[in-house]
């Protein structure tokens, strides 16, 4: 066994100042402790940073930000917590709403929508499962890992998009939750519902990794029970309608556009994936990590989206369902299912579903801090939990006026920037398969060294090509790309923005990266 003396670390300079930890001989060859930062180092010295960290430590608040986790601190051996993490984050009313879109927005039938939900979700969550296996191997957050694909400076572009996604979707989600609370009790104004949900989310994410996992470990249970009650009441009502499948180009366009919505929702966790496995032991099975992530994502996504789809079919022939949806969206639809037979208990069920937004927003607000810290040395010097507080204030500041004035605009904007995820995946997967080829291809010791990481020119250029592909293939209410326009009903098109964004970014990156490596040797 080699020396176990811990590396000291200067947080504000972002550099190791001592001797690297040794590596036990039985560990895999890819373990390298260079740049790993021991937890106690955050409290060294008498700087303001150290004093704040010591104060936070008194309350067991996670002090670590984007600094690499040392191997002997990766002690979270409970792999099924990864599954419950994603189970809770997706056993929510937001995913129910995605499935329900098939009928009123895309005019699809039941069977074609069901098949789309099943197969597209498999594609959507595979990158999340794949990148989740990186956390235990390297002890790095997803945005820091992305430096190996985009370079030290290029990753700041990715972090910017991830910040927009985290804050934007938190705003959209909390508005939905507040609308549900208002539907139950009109004395709870929108701003109050937003503050209630945001404050609860902040309390969970403030304490960090362990508390986020602990909350998500249990929070899926009440939501699942309520969804089972919704399923039971709907099945008992006999109002399900097996809407027929369409044919021809209009059907193709509608399926592709619905598939884009399903894919964008499911794959949205990719840019957070390693954040929730970073404390897993280095020698944990990759198959276990992948499998638990897959199960934790697929079950709630399929269950809630298919339930939303099934209930929405009734809106065609049931006036009360149609009226509820037209008046209050998903909240009105759920109220139409629950309130008549269950009365006040039905209202309680709706409150539980509104509070499920907390589990949905926890990954957004926990992970946004790492994207903020990646932006610069000075942002890294701001403790994680302070960024959590600032992020919460920002999305509340967006959501409160957005509740009444620009919710639709906000949601349209979030759908627009969602294409960036396909570009991110196209570049990252291509780098891993063609150039890194395996985990052993990563020199993890350089994760914080700008001069040794890829320059990022190939990635940023390929990102631009990916944007071009997304624009060519998108089919949104406010814009239909030239290729998207060729599919489906005139005036509506078919959305192929995600596959084109992936293809354009992946292929262009494969070429540009070859010349970049030849020129710079890194």
């Amino acid at each position: 066994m080699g020396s176990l003396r811990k590396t000291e670390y200067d947080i504000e300079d972002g550099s190791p100042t001592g001797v690297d930890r040794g590596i036990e001989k039985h560990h895999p060859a890819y373990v390298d402790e260079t740049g790993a930062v021991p937890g106690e180092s955050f409290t060294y010295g008498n700087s303001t940073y150290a004093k704040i960290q010591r104060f936070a430590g008194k309350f067991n608040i996670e002090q670590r930000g984007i600094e690499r986790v040392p191997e002997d601190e990766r002690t979270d051996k409970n792999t099924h917590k990864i599954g419950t993490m994603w189970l809770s984050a997706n056993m929510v009313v937001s995913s129910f709403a995605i499935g329900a879109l098939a009928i009123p927005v895309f005019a699809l039938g039941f069977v074609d929508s069901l098949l789309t939900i099943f197969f597209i979700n498999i594609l959507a969550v595979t990158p999340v499962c794949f990148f989740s296996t990186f956390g235990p191997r390297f002890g790095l957050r997803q945005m820091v890992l992305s430096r190996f694909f985009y370079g030290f400076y290029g990753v700041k572009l990715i972090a910017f998009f991830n910040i927009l996604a985290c804050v934007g979707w938190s705003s959209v989600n909390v508005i939905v939750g507040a609308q549900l609370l208002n539907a139950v009790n009109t004395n709870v104004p929108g701003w109050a519902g937003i503050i209630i949900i945001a404050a609860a989310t902040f309390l969970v994410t403030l304490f960090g990794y362990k508390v986020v996992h602990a909350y998500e470990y249990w929070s899926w249970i009440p939501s699942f029970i309520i969804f089972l009650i919704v399923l039971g009441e709907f099945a008992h009502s006999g109002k399900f309608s097996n809407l027929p499948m369409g044919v021809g180009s209009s059907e193709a366009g509608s399926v592709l556009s619905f598939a884009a919505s399903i894919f964008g929702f499911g794959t949205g966790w990719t840019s957070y994936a390693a954040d929730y496995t970073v404390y897993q032991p280095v020698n944990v099975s990759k198959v276990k990590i992948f499998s638990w992530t897959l199960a934790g994502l697929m079950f709630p996504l399929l269950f809630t989206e298919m339930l939303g789809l099934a209930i929405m079919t009734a809106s065609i022939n049931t006036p009360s369902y149609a009226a509820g949806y037209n008046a209050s969206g998903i909240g009105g639809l759920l109220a139409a299912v629950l309130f008549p037979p269950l009365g006040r208990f039905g209202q309680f069920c709706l409150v539980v579903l509104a509070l499920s937004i907390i589990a949905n927003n926890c990954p957004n607000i926990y992970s946004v801090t790492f994207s903020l810290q990646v932006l610069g040395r000075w942002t890294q010097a701001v403790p994680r939990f302070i960024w959590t507080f600032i992020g919460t204030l920002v999305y509340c500041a967006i959501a409160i006026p957005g509740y009444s004035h620009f919710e639709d605009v906000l949601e349209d904007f979030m759908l627009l920037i969602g294409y960036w995820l396909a570009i991110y995946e196209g570049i990252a997967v291509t780098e891993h398969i063609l150039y890194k080829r395996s985990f052993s291809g990563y020199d993890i010791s350089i994760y914080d060294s700008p001069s040794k990481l890829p320059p990022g020119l190939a990635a940023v250029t390929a990102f631009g090509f990916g944007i071009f592909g997304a624009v060519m293939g998108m089919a949104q209410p406010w814009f239909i790309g030239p290729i998207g326009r060729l599919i489906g009903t005139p005036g509506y098109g078919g959305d192929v923005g995600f596959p084109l964004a992936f293809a354009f970014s992946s292929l262009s990156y494969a070429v540009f990266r070859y010349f970049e490596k030849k020129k710079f040797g890194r």
Side-chain angles (χ1 to χ4, degrees):
M1 182 187 300
S3 168
L4 290 178
R5 185 161 75 88
K6 295 185 176 181
T7 302
E8 294 183 1
Y9 195 86
D10 187 325
I11 297 297
E12 299 191 9
D13 285 345
S15 59
T17 60
V19 179
D20 298 333
R21 295 180 179 214
I23 304 167
E24 295 185 37
K25 293 180 181 178
H26 67 273
H27 287 157
Y30 49 70
V31 178
D32 184 343
E33 289 289 76
T34 304
V37 184
E40 63 268 26
S41 67
F42 298 110
T43 61
Y44 291 165
N46 292 313
S47 66
T48 302
Y49 176 91
K51 291 176 182 177
I52 294 173
Q53 290 283 24
R54 282 197 292 270
F55 179 77
K58 294 178 181 179
F59 301 95
N60 293 319
I61 292 173
E62 183 187 12
Q63 298 160 310
R64 185 178 302 280
I66 60 172
E67 299 80 20
R68 188 180 177 207
V69 182
E71 185 187 351
D72 63 359
E73 293 183 26
R74 295 180 223 168
T75 57
D76 185 10
K77 298 180 180 180
N78 192 343
T79 51
H80 69 264
K81 281 167 56 177
I82 302 165
T84 55
M85 169 74 208
W86 299 118
L87 176 58
S88 290
N90 292 281
M91 187 68 71
V92 294
V93 71
S94 301
S95 51
F96 176 92
I98 290 291
L101 292 177
I103 309 301
V105 176
F106 301 105
L108 293 170
F110 178 71
V111 173
D112 47 349
S113 299
L114 204 70
L115 293 173
T116 302
I117 289 172
F118 180 78
F119 288 108
I120 296 302
N121 269 310
I122 294 174
L123 289 176
V125 305
T126 298
V128 189
C129 302
F130 174 64
F131 286 113
S132 291
T133 65
F134 282 60
R137 290 298 177 268
F138 303 128
L140 292 173
R141 310 288 186 172
Q142 188 66 40
M143 280 296 106
V144 183
L145 282 167
S146 301
R147 289 174 176 171
F148 289 94
F149 315 131
Y150 290 87
F152 187 87
Y153 298 105
V155 80
K156 299 178 193 296
L157 172 67
I158 302 306
F160 174 73
F161 275 95
N162 203 41
I163 292 165
L164 289 179
C166 291
V167 172
W169 281 119
S170 293
S171 303
V172 171
N173 292 339
V174 80
I175 288 172
V176 171
Q179 288 173 337
L180 290 178
L181 292 175
N182 182 258
V184 173
N185 186 349
T186 55
N187 291 323
V188 180
W191 63 266
I194 288 169
I195 291 174
I196 290 168
I197 295 171
T201 305
F202 170 70
L203 285 176
V204 175
T205 54
L206 170 68
F207 289 93
Y209 180 95
K210 289 183 179 179
V211 175
V212 169
H213 269 288
Y215 180 80
E216 305 282 20
Y217 191 86
W218 300 105
S219 65
W220 66 273
I221 296 175
S223 299
F224 183 50
I225 291 171
I226 300 304
F227 278 126
L228 287 177
I229 293 171
V230 171
L231 173 61
E233 289 298 334
F234 178 67
H236 184 261
S237 73
K239 293 175 180 176
F240 170 74
S241 178
N242 187 4
L243 301 178
M245 184 186 304
V247 295
S249 61
S250 61
E251 169 72 3
S254 295
V255 166
L256 287 170
S257 295
F258 181 51
S261 298
I262 296 294
F263 183 86
F265 188 87
T267 209
W269 306 114
T270 301
S271 56
Y272 315 163
D275 297 351
Y276 302 96
T277 60
V278 76
Y279 286 99
Q280 290 282 326
V282 69
N283 56 0
V284 69
S285 167
K286 286 184 289 185
V287 174
K288 271 190 176 182
I289 298 290
F290 190 98
S291 300
W292 275 113
T293 307
L294 181 66
L297 286 164
M298 286 297 289
F299 175 69
L301 287 172
L302 294 183
F303 175 71
T304 55
E305 289 174 6
M306 290 179 177
L307 179 60
L309 166 66
I311 292 176
M312 186 54 81
T313 64
S315 67
I316 302 299
N317 300 313
T318 308
S320 61
Y321 282 28
Y325 180 75
N326 291 332
S328 305
I330 290 299
L333 179 67
L334 287 166
V337 176
L338 294 172
F339 288 3
L342 299 179
R344 294 189 68 84
F345 180 70
Q347 294 178 337
F348 169 77
C349 292
L350 212 56
V351 170
V352 173
L353 290 182
L355 296 179
S356 73
I357 296 297
I358 298 169
N360 195 210
N361 269 357
C362 277
N364 293 328
I365 299 307
Y366 179 67
S367 289
V368 72
T369 60
F370 308 125
S371 293
L372 286 161
Q373 288 191 325
V374 159
L375 291 179
R377 296 297 188 194
W378 73 270
T379 58
Q380 184 180 353
V382 177
R384 177 202 62 82
F385 43 87
I386 293 179
W387 282 125
T388 300
F389 179 66
I390 294 171
T392 300
L393 292 181
V394 171
Y395 85 80
C396 284
I398 295 171
I400 290 173
Y403 183 91
S404 303
H405 300 293
F406 56 86
E407 180 194 356
D408 291 339
V409 174
L410 179 61
E411 192 159 354
D412 286 344
F413 175 72
M414 295 314 302
L415 291 173
L416 168 65
I417 68 167
Y419 294 104
W420 84 272
L421 288 160
I423 303 172
Y424 173 82
E425 293 163 1
I427 293 171
V429 171
T430 302
E431 172 68 24
H432 181 82
I433 292 175
L434 293 186
Y435 295 103
K436 296 293 190 289
R437 300 189 178 179
S438 69
F439 284 124
S440 61
Y442 293 80
D443 180 2
I444 206 65
S445 66
I446 66 171
Y447 83 91
D448 205 29
S449 302
S451 62
K452 296 179 181 179
L453 287 162
L457 297 175
V460 171
T461 306
F463 195 92
F465 275 75
I467 292 174
F468 177 74
V471 171
M472 293 292 287
M474 68 172 57
Q476 296 291 338
W478 34 265
F479 180 78
I480 303 174
I483 296 178
R485 191 179 296 118
L486 300 176
I487 310 166
T489 305
Y492 294 94
D495 197 323
V496 289
F498 278 103
L500 287 183
F502 184 95
F504 275 57
S505 60
S506 177
L507 293 173
S508 61
Y509 180 76
V511 175
F512 295 143
R513 181 66 173 133
Y514 171 80
F515 291 105
E516 183 181 64
K517 282 181 69 72
K518 192 173 182 179
K519 170 70 174 177
F520 296 97
R522 55 187 171 100

